[in-house]
Amino acid sequence: KYIRPEFNIGDEIKVFLYKDYEQRWIATTLRPWIKINEFASLRVRSATDKGAFLECGLEKDIFVPHREQSIKMHEGFRYVVYLYEDKQTNRLVASSKLNKFLNNETLTVEPGEAVDLLIFETTPLGFNAIINQRHKGLIYHSDIFQEVKVGNRLTGYIKNIREDNSIDISLQKKG
């Protein structure tokens, strides 16, 4: 069902491989909205007594067990999650407990550098953001001059790196 009319025998095409619920390999031309070891904002398709199932751009949804939910997930709402392989089941699962997947010990950014941001949390000081799919940073309310919401993907700039490796971010380039 993923074969398009413009495909011909011998054509090279890009596909995404995953296992279905019966552990059979599926090749699809659909592109997932999240990949393993990445963060994304996804909508809950259904919530059950076992956990939540998130839409990810494929026919198969991503599972978030209750133990991996920082707050209880509800159908129709969007949450920022991290996708990883569960070592016990060898299945892909997501977690909204994001801090355990962010690393500010070894930084790969410098002040003034343009970075990709994913807003994941509001705080009394501003918004926490995931920087380049790797680090955690903060945009202070006083540095925000546009509408910002959890789940937004934005370009930002490293404003300051503190002694404890916490990162201040600005949405405007310095100068």
Side-chain angles (χ1 to χ4, degrees):
K1 72 180 176 185
Y2 299 115
I3 297 174
R4 298 187 189 140
E6 67 268 18
F7 291 167
N8 295 306
I9 294 175
D11 286 353
E12 284 189 26
I13 60 172
K14 287 187 177 186
V15 297
F16 179 76
L17 295 172
Y18 68 95
K19 288 185 178 179
D20 69 7
Y21 64 93
E22 293 181 358
Q23 297 301 301
R24 296 175 299 192
W25 284 104
I26 304 294
T28 177
T29 54
L30 299 174
R31 294 281 178 245
W33 301 328
I34 189 171
K35 295 178 187 165
I36 192 165
N37 301 324
E38 286 187 354
F39 299 89
S41 175
L42 302 176
R43 191 175 78 78
V44 175
R45 184 184 308 269
S46 65
T48 70
D49 59 342
K50 303 252 189 276
F53 292 88
L54 308 179
E55 296 176 4
C56 67
L58 303 174
E59 286 185 11
K60 182 176 179 170
D61 295 331
I62 299 294
F63 181 59
V64 184
H66 283 299
R67 72 178 188 283
E68 288 298 329
Q69 295 178 24
S70 59
I71 59 170
K72 184 177 179 182
M73 295 182 166
H74 298 281
E75 188 173 321
F77 287 84
R78 296 183 75 85
Y79 300 88
V80 176
V81 296
Y82 181 81
L83 183 66
Y84 68 98
E85 183 180 357
D86 180 47
K87 299 302 180 200
Q88 293 177 338
T89 64
N90 294 323
R91 292 186 177 178
L92 295 180
V93 294
S95 175
S96 64
K97 295 182 176 181
L98 306 179
N99 287 318
K100 66 183 182 179
F101 302 104
L102 294 168
N103 176 0
N104 277 32
E105 290 179 24
T106 308
L107 297 179
T108 61
V109 293
E110 297 178 8
E113 183 179 339
V115 292
D116 294 320
L117 303 175
L118 174 58
I119 307 300
F120 76 92
E121 181 179 55
T122 59
T123 75
L125 296 175
F127 289 89
N128 281 328
I130 298 163
I131 303 168
N132 292 345
Q133 293 285 327
R134 181 176 252 164
H135 307 302
K136 177 181 176 179
L138 176 67
I139 309 166
Y140 289 96
H141 286 299
S142 60
D143 289 336
I144 297 174
F145 304 102
Q146 67 190 63
E147 185 176 2
V148 174
K149 294 180 181 177
V150 171
N152 285 160
R153 289 191 176 275
L154 305 166
T155 298
Y157 301 89
I158 303 300
K159 182 177 176 182
N160 185 34
I161 298 175
R162 299 177 185 274
E163 286 183 21
D164 64 353
N165 276 3
S166 58
I167 303 171
D168 298 336
I169 309 164
S170 174
L171 297 179
Q172 291 78 31
K173 193 172 186 176
K174 192 172 183 178

